[in-house]
Amino acid sequence: GAVVSQHPSRVICKSGTSVKIECRSLDFQATTMFWYRQFPKKSLMLMATSNEGSKATYEQGVEKDKFLINHASLTLSTLTVTSAHPEDSSFYICSASGETDTQYFGPGTRLTVL
Amino acid sequence: GQNIDQPTEMTATEGAIVQINCTYQTSGFNGLFWYQQHAGEAPTFLSYNVLDGLEEKGRFSSFLSRSKGYSYLLLKELQMKDSASYLCAVSGSGNTPLVFGKGTRLSVIA
């Protein structure tokens, strides 16, 4: 099956700093990548859809200036949480799809903002 | 509108069979996915149904009826490690985001 990696798996940062999370498709070309956020015991929440080489499409209520998404190549997308605050602490998960509809998820990044 | 319904929680006994249902009403439909998500981990792909009928993959099977807007995931010979949330998700078209249900939390007990 297709493999998607995320880095880092866990990050702890101080309030006000920025954090970059990388999502890579290791064995296929991901024309589209998706970023989700999940709070404990809650459903996945789609944050944005990112197509290679174009601007991300953000879901309603997600601040594009706070959550910067870059999808510069067919195997890499990054999510930068700018000026992070404690309420941004969450589990961030990316997924990628290529030629088929199947979305393959990365292992997730657990962000804790102190 | 987009609406996907699945039970919130289910409990089943080790070694038994459990069926997790999912009904959907979406504006477009290409296919239906089932994902498994263990606590604290990301979802993992289980199955994808496009055509009506049953797809069997080891202990797990998934069924789809497009005319009824209905799917189920069947887990046989339940093991303790099957305790997880099971997410039903519908694919609309192309590379549009999947629409996820809220997930069914399955607890397997001895």
Side-chain angles (χ1 to χ4, degrees), chain A residues 31-32 34 36 38 41-44 46 49 51 59 91 93 97-98 100-108 110, chain B residues 30-31 33 35 37 39-45 48 87 91-98 100-103 105:
Chain A
T31 49
T32 308
F34 305 89
Y36 294 84
Q38 188 173 35
K41 298 190 178 180
K42 298 293 184 184
S43 306
L44 285 173
L46 179 66
T49 301
N51 290 297
E59 295 299 301
F91 191 41
I93 313 170
S97 63
T100 69
D101 285 343
T102 304
Q103 285 185 24
Y104 295 95
F105 285 86
R110 193 162 303 284
Chain B
N30 265 356
F33 292 87
Y35 287 87
Q37 185 177 24
E41 297 179 13
T44 55
F45 169 76
Y48 179 38
L87 310 176
S91 167
S93 60
N95 275 324
T96 55
L98 295 181
F100 280 88
K102 294 189 186 303
R105 191 157 51 246

Side-chain angles (χ1 to χ4, degrees), chain B residues 17-72:
Chain B
I17 299 173
V18 70
Q19 177 174 313
I20 303 174
N21 296 324
C22 171
T23 57
Y24 62 90
Q25 291 173 309
T26 55
S27 53
F29 184 84
N30 265 356
L32 188 141
F33 292 87
W34 283 96
Y35 287 87
Q36 180 191 61
Q37 185 177 24
H38 284 100
E41 297 179 13
T44 55
F45 169 76
L46 288 179
S47 66
Y48 179 38
N49 291 64
V50 176
L51 302 176
D52 285 357
L54 186 69
E55 300 251 352
E56 298 188 64
K57 197 186 287 187
R59 293 190 299 115
F60 293 4
S61 303
S62 56
F63 171 84
L64 175 67
S65 168
R66 293 175 70 126
S67 61
K68 295 182 179 177
Y70 167 68
S71 171
Y72 67 73

